[in-house]
Amino acid sequence: MESSTTRPAPYEQIIDLLDTTGARYSVLEHVEEGNTEKISALRGNRIEQAAKCIVVRVGVTKKKGRYVIAVVPGHLRVDIEAIREHYRGVKAMFAPQDMAESLTGAVSGSIPPFSFDPDVALIVDPELLREEEMYFNAARLDRSLRLSTADYLTAARPDVLPITEAATAPLA
C-alpha cells in the first residue's frame, strides 16, 4: 500500500521555517490584494521594502530549462537578461501564470520570496537587501509578512545577484 504524503501549504511552510530559524517577523492580515503598489499602501510600507516575486523560466538548452523565483524591490523590474546570463541560458522568459502558481503553490500576486522546491532556484536582488525589513504576501492574498531582511537571508538562503532594471514602464 502506498502512503501519500502531503506537503503543508506554502504559508505554513514559511511560518515553520521562520519559527525554526528564529526569524523576527509579524503577520499582517488585510483584504485580498496582489498588486505591489496597492498592497504596499494597505500595509503601510514603502514600495522599496516590498519583495516582488516573479517566476522566470530559463532555457538552458533548446529542450532543457529551469525555473527561478526572482525577488526584487517593488519599485524595480526584473532584468530577465541578467538571469539568463547568470545561468548561461539560451533564452529566458516569464513563466506562464499556471506554471508559476503550480511551482510555488501560490496564486499570482502572492508568490513568496521562498522556494520549497529543490528544482526551483531563488535569487534576490541586493537592492532589496538594503532595507532593514521587507514585506511580502505570504502565499496568500489576504496575509502578508513583515520580516527582518537579515533573518530572511538566513531562512531562505537565496543567491544574491543584481537582477533589476529601472521601472520606466508599467511594473511587471
Side-chain angles (χ1 to χ4, degrees), residues 14 17-18 21-25 51 71 113-115 122-134 136 146-161:
I14 294 166
L17 177 61
L18 296 179
T21 59
R24 293 161 289 172
Y25 72 94
V71 184
F114 293 88
S115 176
L122 179 65
I123 298 177
V124 64
D125 188 87
E127 190 70 24
L128 181 63
L129 304 179
R130 293 179 183 206
E131 300 294 333
E132 199 170 304
E133 294 180 320
M134 58 190 286
F136 56 92
R146 178 178 63 220
L147 173 62
S148 156
T149 304
D151 292 345
Y152 166 72
L153 287 171
T154 299
R157 299 174 26 175
D159 291 331
V160 178
L161 178 74

Side-chain angles (χ1 to χ4, degrees), residues 7-11 13-14 53-55 68-69 97-108 110-112 114-117 120 139:
R7 289 190 338 202
Y11 174 79
Q13 288 180 290
I14 294 166
C53 306
I54 308 291
V55 180
V68 177
I69 298 173
Q97 182 176 336
D98 60 339
M99 180 57 76
E101 291 177 352
S102 175
L103 289 168
T104 62
V107 299
S108 183
S110 73
I111 294 173
F114 293 88
S115 176
F116 296 103
D117 182 334
V120 179

Side-chain angles (χ1 to χ4, degrees), residues 4-171:
S4 66
T5 56
T6 57
R7 289 190 338 202
Y11 174 79
E12 283 78 22
Q13 288 180 290
I14 294 166
I15 297 300
D16 288 347
L17 177 61
L18 296 179
D19 287 345
T20 300
T21 59
R24 293 161 289 172
Y25 72 94
S26 57
V27 177
L28 307 167
E29 294 185 18
H30 48 73
V31 298
E32 289 190 1
E33 182 56 62
N35 175 279
T36 303
E37 291 177 5
K38 290 178 183 176
I39 192 60
S40 291
L42 285 170
R43 293 186 299 230
N45 62 272
R46 292 181 297 101
I47 196 163
E48 294 85 359
Q49 296 173 297
K52 183 168 54 175
C53 306
I54 308 291
V55 180
V56 175
R57 183 186 186 283
V58 179
V60 182
T61 66
K62 287 188 177 188
K63 293 184 179 182
K64 186 177 177 187
R66 75 168 306 155
Y67 288 94
V68 177
I69 298 173
V71 184
V72 300
H75 68 296
L76 298 175
R77 295 174 57 99
V78 173
D79 182 349
I80 292 179
E81 277 302 299
I83 296 169
R84 182 194 63 74
E85 289 173 10
H86 176 70
Y87 288 104
R88 296 185 176 100
V90 293
K91 65 179 179 176
M93 65 191 78
F94 294 118
Q97 182 176 336
D98 60 339
M99 180 57 76
E101 291 177 352
S102 175
L103 289 168
T104 62
V107 299
S108 183
S110 73
I111 294 173
F114 293 88
S115 176
F116 296 103
D117 182 334
D119 294 328
V120 179
L122 179 65
I123 298 177
V124 64
D125 188 87
E127 190 70 24
L128 181 63
L129 304 179
R130 293 179 183 206
E131 300 294 333
E132 199 170 304
E133 294 180 320
M134 58 190 286
Y135 293 75
F136 56 92
N137 277 13
R140 294 176 56 159
L141 290 173
D142 66 346
R143 199 159 293 170
S144 293
L145 294 181
R146 178 178 63 220
L147 173 62
S148 156
T149 304
D151 292 345
Y152 166 72
L153 287 171
T154 299
R157 299 174 26 175
D159 291 331
V160 178
L161 178 74
I163 54 167
T164 59
E165 57 185 43
T168 56
L171 298 176

